[in-house]
Amino acid sequence: MQRERPIARLIGRSQKPDGGGKVSQECRLPPCSGSLLRGAGSWAGGSQQRGSMRATMLAALGVLLALLPLASTLQSQGTRRGGWMPEPTEPALHRLSHYLLAHYQKGTRPVRDWRTTTNVAIDLMVYAILSVDEKNQVLTTYIWYRQHWTDEFLRWDPARFDNLTQISLPAESIWVPDILINEFVDVGKSPHVPYVYVGHHGEVQNLKPIQVMTACSLDIYNFPFDVQNCSLTFTSWLHHIRDINLSLWRQPELVKFDRSVFMNQGEWELLYVLSRFQEFSVKSSDSYAEMKFYVVIRRRPLFYTVSLLLPSIFLMVMDIVGFYLPPNSGERVSFKITLLLGYSVFLIIVSDTLPATAVGTPLIGIYFVVCMALLVISLTETILIVRLVHKQDLQPHVPEWVKHLLLERATVLLCIQDGRTFSPSRTQSLDISREVENDDSAAKLSHHGSEDPRECEAAGAVRPAPAFAGQAEGSPLMHSVLREITAIRQFLEKREEFRDVAREWLQVGYVLDVLLFRAYLAAVLAYSITLGTLWSVWRDA
């Protein structure tokens, strides 16, 4: 019905009463149309003109059909003046996407003036430390990366698109800056994010998670209390700084201590992230803009302290306790050999846990080697002491300089008791003297009665042999008794000499054992204090 009204106006049919009260119909068609109608009336009055009027009517119908689009246009203009707007059939998102991408050229930098520099603001948030490969010097991290720039060809008026101020567009359909990480060594398993956000002023935001596998100079000397500093350098691989410049999206203080999304339950702890902008040029060519992020991480040492350091410390303590075993017993040697074998097995087990690099050795590896060397030194010292305190038949006397150094000077220096400590009344000297006596000498002494050999030795020292000989020169029995007594006296003198030599070497072995034990203990304590201090300083740094 709405379309019929303008058609009626165009045709010009209006009903007006005439003088007789009848309604007359006035035609508002153009003059040509009126002439056609008048021709049609005359055609009705005369049959001779029917053929020509039929052609005239067909031409009039064609003119009416041509005027129908004009009538529809006039009707739409009239409704707009009245305040009514028809709703479009296509959604605003579709119309805006078509409007932005219909004639978009993604192959060129989105600026109207080529002298204009595209400023790309970037941001980084560390999500997790996945792995640290010390052997290959590779750090694998998972980061949330964000970049922002202005595209001058992606702007629109929100009033024309239902007040739409932001839209997501495919990243493959628009220009994206070629920002890469210089330290990339391998493509990680990063999820693909196909869209970017675009604002009505041309602001483009590209947000995506990235698994980054980068080369990093890892210093493992302080393992397991090491702190690593790895850099992530973002730069345009092709465009110079006059084309693409980089800046930081947020303030550096906010980036430095941002741990809001970091997974803080792994082996590594995130300390902070430093950021720095710099210009880089190659052989005096054009400069490139670089944005460096320094990711500083620290290893949690509790696992390695429990599994590596404590067992080694316990074995070293047991080696020190082994010095309190008697030096003249063979149990000390077997005990220390057992400790050395146990420590060797321990090193074989923990060798896979230690980081392996071709450029250096961690301090804990040096610690294990020194502990093994100390165990070997301890075993060597024990073998030496056992050799000294055990009596030999042809053992020489203790040299005078050894007596002077060990039995006089060292006893005072080490606060050992005086010489009476080493008197024959001690149990160890008695044990050594008992070993010297054999069954033959005991049989000889019992054969000549219960006379004390010491009294015979004292009587023989007076040498009354000539008197005996004068009184009983002709008695063969007396000569035989004298020869037996002389042999016994010589035997006892030789035995006393051996006992004196064994006693002297026992004193030397005892003093030397105390001296070496205290030197060994001082070396172990100094080494332990030094390592503990270094690791404490590195851990608290």
Side-chain angles (χ1 to χ4, degrees):
M1 294 299 294
Q2 293 177 355
R3 292 185 178 181
E4 293 178 357
R5 294 176 183 176
I7 295 174
R9 294 194 193 100
L10 293 174
I11 296 176
R13 299 182 63 182
S14 62
Q15 297 180 357
K16 296 181 180 180
D18 54 2
K22 295 181 180 181
V23 178
S24 63
Q25 295 181 353
E26 182 180 0
C27 182
R28 296 183 182 179
L29 292 176
C32 61
S33 300
S35 62
L36 290 175
L37 291 176
R38 285 192 299 271
S42 62
W43 170 76
S47 58
Q48 65 274 11
Q49 298 179 351
R50 289 180 181 178
S52 61
M53 289 295 100
R54 183 178 300 173
T56 305
M57 288 298 295
L58 291 176
L61 289 175
V63 172
L64 290 176
L65 293 175
L67 292 175
L68 285 178
L70 178 62
S72 176
T73 304
L74 295 175
Q75 180 183 4
S76 62
Q77 292 178 356
T79 53
R80 286 184 181 179
R81 294 190 187 97
W84 179 77
M85 182 76 179
E87 295 183 359
T89 57
E90 191 176 8
L93 287 174
H94 294 178
R95 290 189 294 112
L96 179 58
S97 175
H98 179 73
Y99 171 78
L100 295 176
L101 301 178
H103 303 287
Y104 188 85
Q105 298 293 331
K106 68 176 183 178
T108 57
R109 197 163 52 90
V111 292
R112 300 188 183 277
D113 186 3
W114 65 272
R115 301 175 184 85
T116 304
T117 302
T118 302
N119 186 23
V120 180
I122 61 178
D123 188 21
L124 180 143
M125 301 172 67
V126 180
Y127 183 76
I129 306 297
L130 300 182
S131 67
V132 178
D133 189 353
E134 295 88 356
K135 183 177 181 180
N136 298 318
Q137 299 284 294
V138 174
L139 172 68
T140 304
T141 56
Y142 195 81
I143 62 175
W144 288 4
Y145 173 67
R146 302 187 296 176
Q147 59 183 4
H148 172 275
W149 70 93
T150 300
D151 194 322
E152 298 181 4
F153 300 112
L154 296 179
R155 295 175 177 175
W156 69 91
D157 184 9
R160 297 179 54 189
F161 299 95
D162 197 15
N163 295 325
L164 187 62
T165 60
Q166 199 174 33
I167 186 174
S168 61
L169 297 177
E172 292 81 3
S173 301
I174 67 173
W175 180 87
V176 177
D178 57 336
I179 305 298
L180 301 178
I181 301 178
N182 290 343
E183 294 85 357
F184 255 130
V185 295
D186 194 5
V187 179
K189 300 178 181 179
S190 304
H192 178 62
V193 180
Y195 296 100
V196 296
Y197 259 127
V198 181
H200 68 283
H201 292 298
E203 307 93 350
V204 183
Q205 298 182 12
N206 187 10
L207 293 79
K208 55 185 177 180
I210 306 176
Q211 180 178 335
V212 184
M213 300 182 66
T214 56
C216 179
S217 180
L218 301 174
D219 185 10
I220 62 170
Y221 182 75
N222 303 334
F223 176 87
F225 305 98
D226 51 334
V227 176
Q228 306 297 339
N229 187 355
C230 299
S231 62
L232 302 177
T233 306
F234 293 86
T235 182
S236 175
W237 192 255
L238 178 64
H239 295 85
H240 302 152
I241 192 172
R242 65 174 180 268
D243 294 333
I244 293 181
N245 192 16
L246 300 180
S247 62
L248 197 60
W249 193 331
R250 297 182 295 169
Q251 295 296 327
E253 292 76 12
L254 298 178
V255 178
K256 181 176 182 180
F257 298 104
D258 187 5
R259 303 187 187 93
S260 57
V261 298
F262 182 71
M263 300 292 293
N264 200 25
Q265 302 298 325
E267 178 184 354
W268 293 91
E269 175 187 4
L270 178 64
L271 297 181
Y272 46 83
V273 179
L274 300 177
S275 57
R276 188 183 68 178
F277 173 81
Q278 65 181 14
E279 295 184 12
F280 173 74
S281 61
V282 180
K283 295 182 180 179
S284 301
S285 62
D286 294 331
S287 299
Y288 297 86
E290 288 185 351
M291 182 63 68
K292 278 184 172 290
F293 292 92
Y294 296 94
V295 181
V296 182
I297 56 178
R298 179 174 61 190
R299 194 192 305 266
R300 290 188 171 92
L302 180 59
F303 169 75
Y304 299 98
T305 302
V306 173
S307 60
L308 299 181
L309 295 180
L310 289 183
S312 177
I313 293 173
F314 291 156
L315 290 176
M316 294 303 298
V317 170
M318 292 305 298
D319 180 65
I320 294 174
V321 173
F323 278 94
Y324 287 94
L325 291 174
N328 59 338
S329 65
E331 297 296 330
R332 180 190 283 191
V333 177
S334 60
F335 178 75
K336 293 196 178 279
I337 291 176
T338 304
L339 285 179
L340 186 60
L341 292 177
Y343 202 84
S344 302
V345 174
F346 168 73
L347 290 184
I348 294 174
I349 294 174
V350 303
S351 60
D352 296 334
T353 308
L354 297 178
T357 59
V359 295
T361 303
L363 184 60
I364 192 171
I366 301 175
Y367 164 76
F368 288 145
V369 172
V370 173
C371 288
M372 175 71 76
L374 290 175
L375 290 176
V376 172
I377 292 173
S378 173
L379 178 60
T380 304
E381 184 267 344
T382 301
I383 294 174
L384 176 62
I385 297 302
V386 172
R387 171 65 180 83
L388 290 177
V389 300
H390 275 74
K391 174 186 169 296
Q392 299 294 333
D393 293 338
L394 301 177
Q395 192 172 12
H397 289 276
V398 179
E400 294 297 329
W401 62 272
V402 175
K403 291 182 181 180
H404 178 71
L405 290 178
L406 294 180
L407 301 183
E408 297 179 7
R409 297 292 182 86
T411 53
V412 178
L413 180 63
L414 300 177
C415 299
I416 302 177
Q417 298 177 1
D418 55 4
R420 289 177 297 179
T421 306
F422 308 104
S423 62
S425 60
R426 296 185 59 194
T427 305
Q428 294 178 353
S429 300
L430 292 177
D431 293 338
I432 296 176
S433 62
R434 290 195 186 100
E435 293 177 2
V436 181
E437 297 177 355
N438 51 34
D439 295 336
D440 295 338
S441 61
K444 290 180 180 180
L445 292 175
S446 61
H447 176 71
H448 294 285
S450 61
E451 186 180 8
D452 190 1
R454 293 182 180 270
E455 295 179 358
C456 294
E457 182 180 356
V462 184
R463 296 191 178 274
F468 260 114
Q471 293 177 2
E473 291 181 355
S475 175
L477 180 61
M478 292 301 297
H479 286 287
S480 174
V481 170
L482 289 175
R483 284 195 300 269
E484 291 291 336
I485 293 175
T486 303
I488 292 173
R489 183 173 63 84
Q490 293 176 354
F491 170 77
L492 292 178
E493 288 178 352
K494 182 63 69 175
R495 188 185 67 173
E496 286 297 325
E497 183 181 357
F498 288 159
R499 292 172 65 180
D500 292 338
V501 172
R503 190 181 304 112
E504 290 177 354
W505 283 112
L506 179 62
Q507 295 174 3
V508 171
Y510 177 77
V511 175
L512 188 61
D513 181 57
V514 175
L515 177 62
L516 294 178
F517 167 67
R518 295 188 182 181
Y520 180 80
L521 182 61
V524 172
L525 290 179
Y527 181 63
S528 302
I529 292 173
T530 303
L531 287 182
T533 304
L534 289 177
W535 281 332
S536 300
V537 171
W538 292 333
R539 188 177 184 277
D540 298 334

